[in-house]
Amino acid sequence: MVSLVVQRPCLVVPKRRGQEARILLSELNLLDNRMRVLTDSEKIFWPLVREISDDERLMLQDRLGDFELVYAKIESRNKRPKSILEELEEKLTPSQLAAIPHSFDIVGDIAVLEIPDELFDQRFLVGEAVLRVHKNIKVVLAKAGKIDGVARIRRFTHLAGENRTTTLHRENNCVFRVDLASAYFSPRLVTEHARVAHQVAPREVVVDLFAGVGPFSIQIAKKVDALVYAIDINKTAVDLLKLNIHLNKVDGRVIPILGDARKIVEERLFSKADRVIMNLPGSAESFIDVACRAIKAGGGIIHYYQFSSSPEAMDEAVNTLEKGVEANSRKVNKILECKKVRPSAPHEWQIVVDAKIR
Ligand SMILES: C[S@@+](CC[C@H](N)C(=O)[O-])C[C@H]1O[C@@H](n2cnc3c(N)ncnc32)[C@H](O)[C@@H]1O
C-alpha cells in the first residue's frame, strides 16, 4: 500500500500534554485521523484537518496553555479497506462488482478464490484486493480446474502475494502442513473431521482408507487413545501425513501407509478394524468390499461418503451401502446417522452414512 506524504497544519504540545490535546482536538473535530502522528523526544505533533479559527485558538490556549502551530510533512495512515467491495469500488464497473465472490476458502494463510468468467480479466486486481483487506492472508490463489484424478487434486493460478501452494493450517486443535497443488485438503470438512473423531472410543482400531494428509486420523489420535492405520495412494499426501503425525505428537498412534487401500487391507489389515473411514466420495462404492474385509469378524462401524444430486440423496446413499455390504456377506445392523456434509457442486451434496456392520 502506498502512503502519501503531505504538508499539514499541526498542533504541537509537550508529550506530557499529548492525550489532553488529542481529546480536545477530537471534541472540536480538528484531529485528522487519516494522518500519522509525529513525535520527537519532547513533543507530539497532532495533524489537523484544517487551520484553526481564532475562537478555537483561544479555547485551546485556555485548556492547554502553551502550544505551537506549525506546518509539517506528515504521512497518511495505511488504513485497511473494510471489504473487497470497498477496495474495488472505484476500479470495477457495477456489474463486475456484483460478480465478486461473497466468500472463499482459507487454508492457513492462503485464500482460494473461484473467479467467475465476468471477472477473469480483473482476477489479479481481485487477488490484490483480498491481500489488502485480509492481513493474515499471504497468498491468493484461484481455482483453475476441477478436483481430478486418483489423488483428488486440482490446479491453481497464482493471483497475488507469495507464490506458493504450501501452508500450515490449524483445525480443531491440530496443525496440518498442506500442499494444495499436490495433496487433497479441504477446510470445508472441519466439522466432519471433528464429528467422526468424537465418536471414537479408547483402544479402538481405526482404518482410514483414504487418509490424505491426515485430518481424520490425526484428530482421532489426538483426542483418544486409539490406533489408526492411515492409508493413502498419493506419495506427497503420505509424506505430509508423516510430518503432520510428528507435528501433532501422535507418533505410534497413527501408522502412515503408502499404497492402494485395497492391496494394503488384503495384505496387512484384514479383520483388524473396529471402525473404517471411507472419505473418497466419488468412488467409495467400489471400496465397500474393502471396508467389509477390514472390519473385525465381530462387527464395527463404517463411515461411508458419497456424492449425490438426487432429491433422495440420503436414501440413495443408505441403499448403496446396504447393498454393497450384503454383497460381501455382511449386514448393516443399524444406520447410526445419515446426513448432508456439505454442498460439493451446484445441486450436489456430499453425504455421510454412519453404519453399524456385523
Ligand atoms: C477426498 S480425499 C480425502 C482425504 C482426507 N480423508 C481428508 O478428509 O482430507 C481422498 C484421498 O484418497 C486417496 N486415494 C484415492 N484412491 C486411493 C486408493 N485406492 N487407496 C488409497 N488412497 C486413495 C487420494 O490420494 C486422496 O488423498
Side-chain angles (χ1 to χ4, degrees), residues 8 31-36 47-49 74-79:
R8 300 240 36 113
L31 193 61
D32 191 345
N33 287 314
R34 295 164 308 171
M35 308 306 284
R36 286 183 187 282
L48 305 179
V49 286
I74 306 254
E75 222 182 317
S76 64
R77 285 184 201 273
N78 287 331
K79 260 200 155 177

Side-chain angles (χ1 to χ4, degrees), residues 99-101 112-127 130 140-144 157 159:
I100 288 177
V112 181
L113 274 62
E114 270 187 78
I115 298 285
D117 292 346
E118 307 90 292
L119 284 178
F120 185 77
D121 292 342
Q122 280 72 35
R123 63 197 184 283
F124 298 110
L125 206 60
V126 175
V130 171
V140 186
L141 303 176
K143 294 180 182 175
T157 309
L159 294 186

